[in-house]
Amino acid sequence: MNFASDNTAGVSQPILDALGLANDGRASSYGADEWTKRATEALCEVFEREVGVFLVPTGTAANALAIAAATPPWGAVFCHADSHINTDECGAPEFYSGGAKLVTLTGGGAKVDADECEAMLKGWGFGVVHQVQPACLSISQASEFGLVYKPDEIARLSEICRRHGMALHMDGARFANAVVSMNASPADITWKAGVDILSFGATKNGAMCAEAVVVFRDDLRASLGYRRKRAAQLFSKGRFLGAQMAAYLENGHWLELAGRANVAAARLEAVFRKATGARVAGPVEANEVFVWLNEAADRALKGAGAVYYDWSGDPGLGVPGGAGEKLCRFVTAFATTEDHIDGVARALGA
Amino acid sequence: MNFASDNTAGVSQPILDALGLANDGRASSYGADEWTKRATEALCEVFEREVGVFLVPTGTAANALAIAAATPPWGAVFCHADSHINTDECGAPEFYSGGAKLVTLTGGGAKVDADECEAMLKGWGFGVVHQVQPACLSISQASEFGLVYKPDEIARLSEICRRHGMALHMDGARFANAVVSMNASPADITWKAGVDILSFGATKNGAMCAEAVVVFRDDLRASLGYRRKRAAQLFSKGRFLGAQMAAYLENGHWLELAGRANVAAARLEAVFRKATGARVAGPVEANEVFVWLNEAADRALKGAGAVYYDWSGDPGLGVPGGAGEKLCRFVTAFATTEDHIDGVARALGA
Amino acid sequence: MNFASDNTAGVSQPILDALGLANDGRASSYGADEWTKRATEALCEVFEREVGVFLVPTGTAANALAIAAATPPWGAVFCHADSHINTDECGAPEFYSGGAKLVTLTGGGAKVDADECEAMLKGWGFGVVHQVQPACLSISQASEFGLVYKPDEIARLSEICRRHGMALHMDGARFANAVVSMNASPADITWKAGVDILSFGATKNGAMCAEAVVVFRDDLRASLGYRRKRAAQLFSKGRFLGAQMAAYLENGHWLELAGRANVAAARLEAVFRKATGARVAGPVEANEVFVWLNEAADRALKGAGAVYYDWSGDPGLGVPGGAGEKLCRFVTAFATTEDHIDGVARALGA
Amino acid sequence: MNFASDNTAGVSQPILDALGLANDGRASSYGADEWTKRATEALCEVFEREVGVFLVPTGTAANALAIAAATPPWGAVFCHADSHINTDECGAPEFYSGGAKLVTLTGGGAKVDADECEAMLKGWGFGVVHQVQPACLSISQASEFGLVYKPDEIARLSEICRRHGMALHMDGARFANAVVSMNASPADITWKAGVDILSFGATKNGAMCAEAVVVFRDDLRASLGYRRKRAAQLFSKGRFLGAQMAAYLENGHWLELAGRANVAAARLEAVFRKATGARVAGPVEANEVFVWLNEAADRALKGAGAVYYDWSGDPGLGVPGGAGEKLCRFVTAFATTEDHIDGVARALGA
């Protein structure tokens, strides 16, 4: 009953097997191998076009590299105050970009509010050397609080970016969950809606350590090879990144994995909706459930061995907390089983 | 017959198996797992003392983090002109340190010449704000040209460092090969000889993607947790780094792997010494063989499918090249088989 | 009638004369001159103790150096959202610190709210590697909206800093105005109240290009000599920085200059309070007057040749704007004359 | 008899006067003033074309900004080992560029050897992500050892740069001395010979604190406004930089000042050539004289109060030192008088 994070899960069996299969004889190092080629081709297929692909082992690396490619040191990166890049990466985007500034926006459910973004840009001193220059907007798909951006929402944000000369970056640590949630085509919620560069996550969804910077805007590609190496993110035995990513993508494995996580979240939500002492904090659109628990429910769950995060503040998902309630975050993963959900139900008497 | 690099080899079976075994249920993320604990304990045992351990996936990361921990942005890092940090990391040490300067030394076989180092420090403007300040000396064990530093050589360099307030960093991408080569205790060629911080490599010697920054001087530890996260080098599913490193170290597996590589290099050297058209360029002390090949020998080897690097310049190993000869580098690995060596012998008619 | 900024004024005559007097023969370069020594001694006298002094030509340099000395690259700098370091320095603190993050606080009149600061720190993940670490609180004395911090307000903030291991930086671009405003001793509103490092401004108050980083906490001094040189802020003909600062401080010249500016601001405030179509937006405690002007008043003033900034938002000084009013900022300087004030009065028919 | 450096001299009277004249009433800040406009126009006239101009107070700032504009963080800056940017700026180019690497070349008299440069580029891994990428060649005009680059020498270097996609930067801290020395047109030894960006010095030649980044290649201009502000190099009272530079340039004042320094150097050289115990180390082409002094001559000069630097190594000017001789550097300035030269002559009995 571990709902602490999707990254406490292990590796899906097909991906683990792929590592073993890749371990066959000698292979060219630093990404010049067959598996990396397969991963790249699979990503091109997924996105229905030629894309630039740079494999790295961590999501923070993918985000920091993508943002650095789009942002000069004197640039501003617009993002949600609750975004992972702002709160959980110890300043990696600042480091990789050479000291850019993250400018934070608000908005319910950790989704950027387009009106607020537009308003902030309206008052900005473009071309004024005293001010950092808006260079990039970063949004998370799905968001840190489990919501998804619909194609038209992305299109609106990308239109704002276009008008202000900014790149649109998508932190897709949970991209697969969003794709499954909306039953959308990956192309429709990225480049066709105006996304320029994507952190395509696999680690949270069943890989061991594999993410890709996927580049849709060609001028953002040139620096990334150097940036990745210089940031010490280029694997010597690159085939093992390639093998993970290829296995993740081939035969729709990634969508199957995300489907499991999303279904588990929906079931967990249903359990909470029926239970006493628990009130779901708002919509559940991917693999995260935010819930207000009263003391008894919290005690019962912890007593039953459930692991989850106490959250602080209000996630802005629409349902405010009440007296004696605390906010808790439950994350499901491909490895979340019926048993786990049933365990929650039992603990809550639901 | 791939002698291009030790990183074209795959993963040793016990390490690969360890990944599968670690993939059991949920585990705390970001290094708070049992496997990382085991790896840390194993390193403490190997070095016969408590050490600080920071696991990362690439050797460049280990080097850049270690150097950054020891060097302020206005610091100078003394190193050999042919060191990996100077020639093959696209400026990673400069990036991680915030812009420090690498000051290059010469010396045969890519080993730092202590006299030259001393002489350069003698003329340095310590405390003069116009000059970058010597903060760190970085040496590679084994060196990039396959030589090892003996304990007394390290002690001499560390004494110079001590006297000038510099830290001594060891790039141990091929540390295991050096340990086996000298049949030395890891402690004797590191902290007992004055090494302050070590990049402990495993990837070139049979791991998939696992290196450790091993810290012997306590004051160098404090920043490394933040630096690693900020550099996007902290794995979320940290158990898979821990599992690699634990399997690498436990039961002397690492020394067995390095032993295989070193023996292969010795055999290869013997083949070259017997062959016509090949002259070994100097001592072979680890798993690299530099050899001068005449055109016929080069053609014969390439014709037979041998893969190796044409090198430029003179490695300074003591045997200069002659007319019509070109320098070539052969690297052996744990996966180099008798067959590979025999193939070389056959191609050269030796 | 130029009220755009204090930096549109020129240089006070005694400071200009000092440049001529310093231009006598040869002098040691890079700060090893008599004038720099005099300036340092004068600052020690002003602060009634030994202080570290680093002269630089711009206020942004003083701020960025001071903050960098107190903040590691993974550090957080707490500051007001309207602070100069956050809005007007194009990311200089981020650049100089190697990518630290500015965390913004609110509070009326661009003064940091201690309760909000305390609350934000309470929820911070100290020691958690995923989060940047609070290292420094920066406050502006006088604030960007013309308010001053009283000694007890500073003491409260410094106590918060102490408790959280943070340094307290004061941006004193208008420090002289604050000293005069409170008739406080410089010591009482800096180190005696817990300030660790101060950007001591002179340029806005009659110098040509002279600021000092004044260091009260000894451990913050060591890096500043190197940081200043590396940032290209060390003058070769350092005597001309020293001469400015010495002339500024000697015989209380700096307080006389600030007194003129403050008196002018008070007079201007009085004019606005009597005038029709103008409502002072709140307390005037230094040399800045924020005022709500209706359209007629604004037109009348601009028609009469007055120069001042249209401001946006609400400065939080206590008097909100009304319909048809716009916020305007008037800054006085040592060079503001009775004539200028009278001109405003005439234009407004006051 | 101060020959320590040209920066121990003060400010020429016309430039000092210009500061007083500029101190008239209010002026727009941050470079939007009449004096900066005049300086810019004067530079356009001097270079016989439209140029980009960015005024800064120090030569290190001009160099670091110019280099950063031309070099990405993963770039290599080729320069002479004895260049000011490599030896005397505490890593400012590394800092401003975000961690680029300086690659050092040799060559007599601190002039870059074109053949060596070409050879080094020949072996470079262009497009190989493991290696920093050559982005800029920086040469000093006049060189640190007092030699000048002739137009054809510059053209050869710029041709090499062109062929390798590198920018050619000229450190013109002593540009005026070079112009006078060759009686060359500024255009002929800069953009017409292929220089892309120039640090145009005035401080060493009679200004107080004024240098200009002069940009000949348009694509290098865009970032410089932001870089300058972010580096805290933008003066608020910008008119005083503009006034210095305008006065320096107008009516050929700069050439007159450099002429005095060069004539003084020539006379000093003549004195040394006649004196016993002194042997000039090679050609004197600008305002620096390197000379081998025996012990008696050294003692006599110091006894007479002469101030100059003991140098180490061999400047490579063609005349090696002999037994018992030490190398000394004498720098002349606009303020060096006949008396100073005569004093040297007297001390040496010449």
Side-chain angles (χ1 to χ4, degrees):
Chain A
M1 285 166 57
N2 189 312
F3 301 97
S5 177
D6 21 20
N7 59 34
T8 61
V11 180
S12 85
Q13 198 58 46
I15 295 176
L16 191 65
D17 292 345
L19 293 174
L21 292 168
N23 194 34
D24 182 25
R26 295 291 180 126
S28 291
S29 45
Y30 298 115
D33 60 84
E34 284 308 303
W35 296 266
T36 299
K37 192 160 167 253
R38 269 173 50 198
T40 302
E41 287 166 356
L43 280 163
C44 291
E45 198 171 318
V46 161
F47 287 102
E48 305 170 36
R49 52 165 283 184
E50 203 274 324
V51 294
V53 173
F54 298 85
L55 299 181
V56 291
T58 74
T60 298
N63 284 338
L65 285 171
I67 287 168
T71 313
W74 53 93
V77 180
F78 281 47
C79 61
H80 196 282
D82 291 315
S83 62
H84 196 266
I85 61 166
N86 190 46
T87 64
D88 285 294
E89 301 189 347
C90 198
E94 288 92 338
F95 176 41
Y96 275 55
S97 65
K101 185 192 279 284
L102 271 57
V103 174
T104 56
L105 302 163
T106 59
K111 282 176 66 180
V112 166
D113 181 293
D115 290 336
E116 185 192 13
C117 182
E118 179 97 65
M120 198 173 287
L121 286 165
K122 199 176 170 187
W124 210 274
F126 284 90
V128 175
V129 297
H130 303 267
Q131 296 186 27
V132 290
Q133 297 295 303
C136 179
L137 168 63
S138 178
I139 59 174
S140 300
Q141 178 75 309
S143 85
E144 285 76 6
F145 293 166
L147 300 187
V148 298
Y149 287 90
K150 307 291 186 306
D152 63 323
E153 294 175 312
I154 301 167
R156 168 132 191 247
L157 290 168
S158 77
E159 188 276 329
I160 294 173
C161 287
R162 251 3 119 250
R163 220 175 333 111
H164 293 90
M166 297 167 74
L168 181 55
H169 167 249
M170 180 173 276
D171 175 357
R174 296 187 178 99
F175 185 75
N177 305 94
V179 168
V180 168
S181 170
M182 290 184 276
N183 195 21
S185 104
D188 280 346
I189 59 169
T190 56
W191 62 276
K192 286 188 178 172
V195 172
D196 296 306
I197 190 164
L198 167 71
S199 302
F200 182 86
T203 309
K204 284 185 195 295
N205 192 34
M208 181 180 284
C209 58
E211 313 273 319
V213 180
V214 177
V215 192
F216 303 112
R217 217 180 79 195
D218 280 355
D219 63 304
L220 297 179
R221 287 171 70 159
S223 73
L224 276 163
Y226 300 110
R227 290 185 188 277
R228 178 175 57 175
K229 173 63 197 179
R230 178 175 178 76
Q233 298 288 353
L234 182 63
F235 268 35
S236 55
K237 298 183 176 174
R239 56 171 136 170
F240 298 106
L241 280 185
Q244 287 181 69
M245 190 56 81
Y248 180 70
L249 292 167
E250 286 164 5
N251 305 314
H253 184 47
W254 66 301
L255 300 174
E256 183 205 334
L257 293 168
R260 286 192 232 159
N262 284 13
V263 165
R267 287 182 181 156
L268 188 61
E269 181 193 5
V271 167
F272 284 132
R273 292 211 181 272
K274 273 184 268 176
T276 314
R279 292 190 310 122
V280 177
V284 173
E285 298 180 357
N287 65 323
E288 294 186 289
V289 185
F290 283 82
V291 61
W292 298 101
L293 296 180
N294 69 15
E295 206 189 313
D298 185 41
R299 204 170 32 216
L301 280 166
K302 283 185 177 140
V307 179
Y308 49 90
Y309 268 104
D310 293 352
W311 213 254
S312 61
D314 185 316
L317 290 164
V319 180
E325 290 183 332
K326 77 199 247 194
L327 184 67
C328 297
R329 188 190 77 165
F330 291 72
V331 187
T332 58
F334 77 95
T336 305
T337 63
E338 293 275 341
D339 275 4
H340 297 147
I341 311 291
D342 292 348
V344 170
R346 264 194 309 276
L348 293 177
Chain B
M1 285 167 56
N2 189 312
F3 300 97
S5 177
D6 19 22
N7 60 33
T8 61
V11 180
S12 85
Q13 198 58 46
I15 295 175
L16 191 65
D17 293 344
L19 291 174
L21 292 168
N23 193 34
D24 181 25
R26 294 291 180 126
S28 290
S29 46
Y30 297 115
D33 61 84
E34 283 307 303
W35 296 268
T36 299
K37 194 163 166 250
R38 268 173 52 199
T40 303
E41 287 167 357
L43 280 163
C44 292
E45 199 172 318
V46 160
F47 288 103
E48 307 171 35
R49 53 164 285 185
E50 202 275 322
V51 294
V53 172
F54 298 85
L55 299 181
V56 291
T58 72
T60 298
N63 284 339
L65 284 170
I67 286 168
T71 313
W74 54 92
V77 179
F78 280 47
C79 62
H80 196 282
D82 291 315
S83 62
H84 196 265
I85 62 167
N86 189 49
T87 63
D88 284 295
E89 301 189 347
C90 198
E94 287 90 340
F95 177 39
Y96 275 56
S97 65
K101 185 191 279 285
L102 270 58
V103 174
T104 55
L105 302 163
T106 59
K111 282 175 67 181
V112 165
D113 182 294
D115 289 336
E116 185 193 12
C117 183
E118 179 97 65
M120 198 173 286
L121 286 164
K122 199 175 171 187
W124 209 274
F126 283 90
V128 175
V129 298
H130 303 268
Q131 297 186 24
V132 290
Q133 297 293 305
C136 180
L137 169 64
S138 178
I139 58 175
S140 299
Q141 176 77 305
S143 86
E144 285 75 8
F145 292 167
L147 299 189
V148 299
Y149 287 90
K150 306 291 186 307
D152 63 323
E153 293 175 312
I154 301 167
R156 165 126 194 251
L157 290 168
S158 77
E159 189 275 330
I160 294 173
C161 287
R162 252 1 122 248
R163 217 173 338 108
H164 293 89
M166 297 166 76
L168 180 57
H169 167 251
M170 181 173 276
D171 174 357
R174 296 188 178 100
F175 185 74
N177 304 94
V179 167
V180 168
S181 170
M182 290 185 276
N183 194 21
S185 104
D188 280 347
I189 60 169
T190 57
W191 62 277
K192 286 187 178 173
V195 172
D196 296 308
I197 191 163
L198 167 71
S199 302
F200 182 86
T203 309
K204 283 184 194 296
N205 192 33
M208 182 180 284
C209 58
E211 313 273 318
V213 180
V214 176
V215 192
F216 303 112
R217 216 179 81 194
D218 280 355
D219 62 304
L220 297 179
R221 289 171 69 159
S223 73
L224 276 164
Y226 300 109
R227 289 185 191 277
R228 177 175 57 176
K229 173 63 196 178
R230 178 176 178 74
Q233 296 289 353
L234 181 64
F235 267 35
S236 57
K237 298 184 176 174
R239 55 172 136 169
F240 297 105
L241 279 185
Q244 287 181 70
M245 190 56 80
Y248 180 69
L249 292 168
E250 286 164 5
N251 305 314
H253 184 47
W254 67 301
L255 299 176
E256 183 205 333
L257 292 168
R260 286 191 232 159
N262 284 12
V263 164
R267 287 180 180 158
L268 189 60
E269 182 194 2
V271 166
F272 284 133
R273 291 209 182 276
K274 273 183 270 177
T276 313
R279 291 192 309 123
V280 177
V284 173
E285 298 180 356
N287 65 323
E288 294 187 288
V289 184
F290 283 82
V291 61
W292 299 101
L293 297 179
N294 69 16
E295 207 190 313
D298 185 42
R299 202 170 33 217
L301 280 166
K302 284 186 176 141
V307 180
Y308 49 89
Y309 268 104
D310 292 352
W311 214 253
S312 61
D314 184 314
L317 290 164
V319 180
E325 290 182 331
K326 78 199 244 195
L327 184 66
C328 299
R329 187 190 78 164
F330 291 72
V331 186
T332 58
F334 77 96
T336 305
T337 63
E338 294 274 343
D339 274 5
H340 298 149
I341 310 292
D342 291 349
V344 170
R346 263 193 310 277
L348 294 178
Chain C
M1 285 168 56
N2 188 311
F3 300 97
S5 177
D6 20 20
N7 60 33
T8 60
V11 180
S12 86
Q13 199 57 47
I15 294 175
L16 191 64
D17 292 345
L19 291 174
L21 292 167
N23 194 35
D24 181 25
R26 294 291 179 125
S28 292
S29 46
Y30 297 115
D33 61 84
E34 284 308 303
W35 297 266
T36 299
K37 193 162 166 250
R38 269 172 51 198
T40 302
E41 287 167 355
L43 280 163
C44 291
E45 199 171 317
V46 160
F47 288 102
E48 306 171 35
R49 53 165 282 184
E50 203 274 323
V51 293
V53 172
F54 298 85
L55 299 181
V56 291
T58 73
T60 297
N63 283 340
L65 285 170
I67 285 167
T71 312
W74 54 91
V77 179
F78 281 47
C79 61
H80 196 282
D82 290 316
S83 63
H84 196 266
I85 61 167
N86 189 48
T87 63
D88 285 295
E89 300 189 347
C90 198
E94 287 91 340
F95 176 40
Y96 276 54
S97 65
K101 185 191 277 285
L102 270 58
V103 173
T104 56
L105 302 163
T106 59
K111 282 175 67 179
V112 166
D113 182 291
D115 289 336
E116 185 193 12
C117 183
E118 180 96 63
M120 197 172 288
L121 286 164
K122 200 176 169 185
W124 210 273
F126 283 92
V128 175
V129 298
H130 303 267
Q131 297 186 25
V132 290
Q133 297 294 304
C136 179
L137 168 64
S138 178
I139 58 175
S140 299
Q141 179 76 307
S143 85
E144 284 76 6
F145 292 168
L147 299 188
V148 298
Y149 287 90
K150 306 293 186 307
D152 63 323
E153 294 176 311
I154 302 167
R156 166 127 193 250
L157 290 168
S158 76
E159 189 276 329
I160 294 172
C161 288
R162 251 3 120 249
R163 218 175 335 110
H164 294 87
M166 298 168 75
L168 181 56
H169 167 249
M170 181 173 275
D171 175 355
R174 294 188 179 100
F175 185 75
N177 304 94
V179 168
V180 167
S181 170
M182 291 184 276
N183 194 23
S185 105
D188 281 346
I189 59 170
T190 56
W191 63 276
K192 287 188 178 173
V195 173
D196 295 307
I197 191 164
L198 167 71
S199 300
F200 182 86
T203 309
K204 283 184 193 298
N205 192 33
M208 181 180 283
C209 58
E211 313 274 317
V213 179
V214 177
V215 192
F216 303 113
R217 218 180 80 194
D218 280 356
D219 63 303
L220 297 178
R221 290 171 68 161
S223 73
L224 276 162
Y226 300 109
R227 289 185 189 278
R228 178 175 57 177
K229 173 63 196 179
R230 177 174 177 76
Q233 296 290 352
L234 181 64
F235 267 36
S236 56
K237 297 184 175 174
R239 57 172 136 172
F240 297 107
L241 280 185
Q244 287 180 70
M245 189 56 81
Y248 180 69
L249 292 168
E250 286 164 4
N251 306 312
H253 183 49
W254 66 302
L255 299 175
E256 184 205 332
L257 292 168
R260 285 191 232 160
N262 285 13
V263 164
R267 285 182 181 156
L268 189 61
E269 181 194 5
V271 165
F272 284 132
R273 292 209 181 274
K274 271 184 271 176
T276 313
R279 291 190 311 121
V280 177
V284 174
E285 298 181 357
N287 65 323
E288 294 187 289
V289 185
F290 283 82
V291 61
W292 299 101
L293 297 179
N294 68 16
E295 205 190 313
D298 184 42
R299 203 169 34 217
L301 279 167
K302 283 183 178 143
V307 180
Y308 49 90
Y309 269 105
D310 291 353
W311 214 254
S312 61
D314 185 314
L317 291 165
V319 179
E325 289 182 332
K326 78 200 245 192
L327 183 67
C328 298
R329 186 189 80 163
F330 290 73
V331 186
T332 58
F334 77 94
T336 306
T337 63
E338 292 274 342
D339 274 5
H340 298 149
I341 311 293
D342 291 349
V344 171
R346 261 195 310 277
L348 293 177
Chain D
M1 285 165 56
N2 188 311
F3 300 97
S5 177
D6 21 20
N7 60 33
T8 61
V11 180
S12 85
Q13 198 58 45
I15 294 176
L16 191 64
D17 292 346
L19 291 174
L21 292 168
N23 193 34
D24 182 25
R26 295 290 180 127
S28 290
S29 45
Y30 297 113
D33 61 83
E34 284 308 303
W35 296 267
T36 299
K37 192 161 167 253
R38 270 173 51 199
T40 302
E41 289 167 354
L43 280 162
C44 291
E45 199 171 318
V46 160
F47 288 101
E48 305 171 37
R49 53 164 282 186
E50 203 274 324
V51 293
V53 173
F54 298 85
L55 299 181
V56 290
T58 72
T60 298
N63 284 338
L65 285 170
I67 287 168
T71 313
W74 53 91
V77 180
F78 280 46
C79 62
H80 196 282
D82 291 314
S83 63
H84 196 266
I85 61 166
N86 189 48
T87 63
D88 284 295
E89 301 188 348
C90 198
E94 287 92 338
F95 177 41
Y96 275 54
S97 65
K101 186 192 278 284
L102 271 58
V103 173
T104 55
L105 302 163
T106 58
K111 283 175 68 179
V112 165
D113 181 294
D115 290 335
E116 185 192 13
C117 183
E118 179 96 63
M120 197 173 288
L121 286 165
K122 199 176 170 187
W124 209 274
F126 283 91
V128 175
V129 297
H130 303 268
Q131 297 186 26
V132 290
Q133 296 296 303
C136 179
L137 167 65
S138 178
I139 58 175
S140 300
Q141 179 76 306
S143 85
E144 285 76 7
F145 293 167
L147 299 188
V148 299
Y149 287 90
K150 306 292 187 305
D152 63 324
E153 293 175 312
I154 302 168
R156 167 131 191 248
L157 290 168
S158 76
E159 189 275 330
I160 294 173
C161 288
R162 250 4 119 250
R163 220 176 332 112
H164 293 88
M166 299 167 73
L168 180 57
H169 166 250
M170 180 174 276
D171 175 357
R174 295 188 179 99
F175 185 74
N177 304 94
V179 169
V180 168
S181 170
M182 291 184 275
N183 195 22
S185 106
D188 281 345
I189 59 169
T190 56
W191 63 276
K192 287 188 178 172
V195 172
D196 296 306
I197 190 163
L198 166 72
S199 301
F200 181 86
T203 309
K204 285 184 193 294
N205 192 33
M208 181 180 285
C209 57
E211 313 274 317
V213 180
V214 177
V215 192
F216 303 112
R217 216 180 79 193
D218 280 355
D219 63 303
L220 298 179
R221 287 172 71 159
S223 73
L224 276 163
Y226 300 110
R227 290 184 189 277
R228 178 174 59 176
K229 174 62 196 180
R230 178 174 177 77
Q233 297 289 353
L234 182 63
F235 268 36
S236 57
K237 298 183 175 175
R239 56 171 136 172
F240 298 107
L241 280 185
Q244 287 181 71
M245 189 56 80
Y248 179 69
L249 292 167
E250 285 163 7
N251 306 313
H253 183 48
W254 65 303
L255 299 175
E256 183 205 333
L257 291 168
R260 286 192 231 158
N262 285 12
V263 164
R267 286 181 180 156
L268 188 60
E269 181 193 4
V271 165
F272 284 132
R273 293 210 181 273
K274 272 183 272 177
T276 314
R279 291 190 310 123
V280 176
V284 172
E285 298 181 356
N287 66 322
E288 294 187 288
V289 184
F290 283 81
V291 61
W292 299 100
L293 296 180
N294 69 17
E295 205 191 314
D298 185 42
R299 202 170 34 218
L301 280 167
K302 285 186 176 140
V307 179
Y308 50 89
Y309 269 104
D310 292 353
W311 214 254
S312 61
D314 184 315
L317 290 164
V319 180
E325 289 182 332
K326 77 198 244 196
L327 183 67
C328 298
R329 187 190 79 165
F330 291 72
V331 187
T332 58
F334 78 94
T336 305
T337 61
E338 293 274 343
D339 275 5
H340 297 148
I341 311 292
D342 291 349
V344 170
R346 263 194 309 277
L348 293 178

